[in-house]
């Protein structure tokens, strides 16, 4: 799977990146080729998907057994590579952090991306949840059925949301950071939850610019704790990779994965795969995410031959 965090790794916009040379990638699917001595529950030949702490973009990947899950029989390898990061992130934010319940409303940015589409599908599993989404206008036709109210990402979505829901929304999921933080907090209802889970605005042009990076953080409005208390608002952060690889919550993630696979088997959710790319085409694939051209997930397929560029 190709994720926005991979672009941030490439640009050096993360804390303590590993020293080069490094193989990027945090999730994959494939067939078990070998097992450690004490591994139980898996056999050689099993179809699996896994989280990996880097090194996922490879023909052979090694990862601890607690990060590996069996693929349902009717799920393809490309769907499986598109599944773990987006759906676990979306599920944990909605149900573990924000406690999504019947009748609530959710605002999600980048509604056409992998996490955005997972959020929309998971919201549809709860009765009467209203989903407000922002996305580039050329994606609207393709994703309009998954979101209740869709706005152009460059429009004044705050006014649009307030026009439809005068007292705002219950949950804001913000992967943009920067100036959207203040806007998101202003839209929260009392007892609402605002979750920061990424910073896609940090990914700038082709070159790494610390000035634009600093500027995007500078625009994060200082959150005043007294104001939170007066307004009854919750602000939270979520990082799946830290949860897995730094905070040892693999068991919790496994229980979430079990619930998600149950939803998949019952045809309640299904990963949206935007496109498949050969490993040699990673530059073009990254550019597609960078330009926000994708609807759903981009997959690097080690068996795919590069497609010749048509002049």
């Amino acid at each position: 799977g190709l994720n926005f965090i991979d672009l941030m790794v490439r640009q050096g916009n993360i804390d303590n990146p590993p020293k080069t040379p490094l193989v990027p990638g945090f999730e994959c699917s494939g067939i078990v080729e070998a097992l450690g001595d004490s591994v139980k529950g898996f056999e050689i030949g099993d179809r699996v998907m896994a989280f990996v702490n880097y090194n996922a973009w490879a023909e052979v990947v090694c990862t601890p057994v607690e990060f590996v899950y069996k693929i349902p029989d009717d799920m393809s390898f490309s769907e499986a590579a598109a599944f773990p990061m987006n759906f676990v992130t979306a599920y944990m934010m909605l149900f573990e952090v924000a406690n999504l319940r019947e009748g609530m409303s959710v605002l999600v940015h980048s509604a056409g991306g992998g996490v955005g589409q997972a959020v929309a599908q998971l919201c549809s599993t709860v009765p009467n949840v209203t989903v407000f989404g922002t996305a580039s206008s050329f994606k609207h036709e393709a994703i309009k059925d998954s979101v209740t109210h869709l706005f152009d990402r460059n429009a004044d979505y705050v006014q649009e949301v307030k026009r439809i829901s005068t007292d705002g929304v219950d949950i804001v999921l913000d992967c943009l950071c920067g100036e959207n933080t203040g806007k998101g907090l202003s839209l929260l209802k009392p007892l609402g939850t605002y979750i920061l889970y990424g910073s896609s605005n940090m990914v700038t042009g082709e070159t790494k610019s610390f000035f634009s990076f600093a500027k995007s953080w500078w625009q994060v409005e200082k959150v005043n704790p007294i104001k939170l208390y007066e307004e009854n608002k919750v602000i939270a952060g979520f990082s799946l990779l830290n949860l897995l690889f730094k905070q040892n919550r693999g068991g919790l993630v496994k229980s979430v994965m079990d619930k998600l696979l149950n939803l998949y088997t019952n045809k309640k959710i299904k990963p949206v795969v935007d496109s498949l790319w050969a490993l040699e085409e990673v530059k073009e694939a990254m550019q597609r995410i960078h330009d926000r051209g994708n609807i759903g997930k981009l997959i690097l397929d080690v068996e795919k031959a590069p497609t010749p560029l048509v002049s």
Side-chain angles (χ1 to χ4, degrees):
L2 189 55
N3 294 289
F4 219 99
I5 182 117
D6 298 312
L7 275 68
M8 292 172 65
V9 169
R10 188 192 76 194
Q11 295 203 338
N13 286 346
I14 57 161
D15 285 339
N16 307 318
K19 295 198 167 32
T20 52
L22 84 102
V23 176
F26 298 98
E27 65 182 337
C28 61
S29 66
I31 294 166
V32 175
E33 288 201 1
L35 301 168
D37 292 341
S38 56
V39 170
K40 305 267 190 306
F42 291 94
E43 291 175 11
I44 289 172
D46 281 350
R47 300 167 73 247
V48 295
M49 54 187 149
F51 290 109
V52 197
N53 195 8
Y54 292 97
N55 300 309
W57 300 355
E59 290 169 0
V60 179
V61 168
C62 184
T63 194
V65 68
E66 68 169 322
F67 304 135
V68 183
Y69 318 92
K70 285 185 181 164
I71 301 177
D73 292 341
D74 55 348
M75 186 187 273
S76 68
F77 281 119
S78 56
E79 280 183 327
F83 195 80
M85 284 276 282
N86 293 161
F87 274 96
V88 172
T89 296
Y91 187 98
M92 294 191 83
M93 289 195 300
L94 289 171
F95 298 107
E96 302 274 339
V97 182
N99 198 12
L100 177 67
R101 298 183 300 288
E102 182 173 348
M104 281 187 165
S105 53
V106 179
L107 168 66
V108 61
H109 293 298
S110 303
V115 174
Q117 285 292 288
V119 164
Q121 290 184 25
L122 288 168
C123 285
S124 72
T125 68
V126 180
N128 304 323
V129 170
T130 305
V131 181
F132 297 92
T134 69
S136 308
S137 51
F138 70 88
K139 297 186 184 182
H140 286 202
E141 186 57 36
I143 66 171
K144 67 179 192 300
D145 295 339
S146 65
V147 178
T148 325
H149 303 287
L150 196 50
F151 312 121
D152 189 296
R153 65 184 290 263
N154 298 314
D156 182 359
Y157 60 86
V158 174
Q159 293 311 314
E160 294 286 336
V161 172
K162 284 188 168 161
R163 188 170 56 76
I164 297 162
S165 174
T166 45
D167 55 347
V169 297
D170 295 293
I171 300 168
V172 175
L173 304 177
D174 179 11
C175 59
L176 300 178
C177 194
E179 63 209 40
N180 291 279
T181 308
K183 293 179 183 176
L185 277 170
S186 74
L187 277 173
L188 270 192
K189 290 180 184 176
L191 302 183
T193 305
Y194 168 96
I195 306 176
L196 188 70
Y197 71 95
S199 327
S200 61
N201 278 352
M202 284 200 234
V203 174
T204 53
E206 262 312 290
T207 54
K208 178 172 65 184
S209 160
F210 280 107
F211 291 107
S212 53
F213 179 46
K215 183 162 156 270
S216 93
W217 271 110
W218 193 244
Q219 286 165 340
V220 175
E221 301 194 16
K222 304 294 180 283
V223 176
N224 178 343
I226 306 288
K227 206 168 166 208
L228 287 177
Y229 140 80
E230 288 172 348
E231 296 180 356
N232 280 305
K233 291 181 178 178
V234 179
I235 184 163
F238 184 78
S239 160
L240 177 56
L241 294 175
N242 284 352
L243 203 64
L244 281 168
F245 301 123
K246 289 185 180 169
Q247 295 155 348
N248 302 320
R249 293 298 188 275
L252 173 61
V253 171
K254 183 172 188 340
S255 69
V256 168
M257 199 67 162
D258 290 343
K259 291 172 189 163
L260 286 165
L261 290 173
N262 197 26
L263 286 169
Y264 177 86
T265 308
N266 291 319
K267 306 221 171 341
K268 296 273 200 291
I269 58 172
K270 186 177 172 65
V272 179
V273 175
D274 175 81
S275 45
L276 300 179
W277 303 75
L279 287 177
E280 294 88 341
E281 297 171 321
V282 68
K283 180 183 173 216
E284 291 78 10
M286 279 191 154
Q287 192 64 46
R288 182 167 172 79
I289 294 187
H290 188 109
D291 297 339
R292 293 178 164 80
N294 58 305
I295 293 168
K297 191 68 166 257
L298 278 75
I299 302 294
L300 295 177
D301 183 347
V302 296
E303 293 183 345
K304 182 179 179 295
T307 311
L309 289 171
V310 180
S311 60

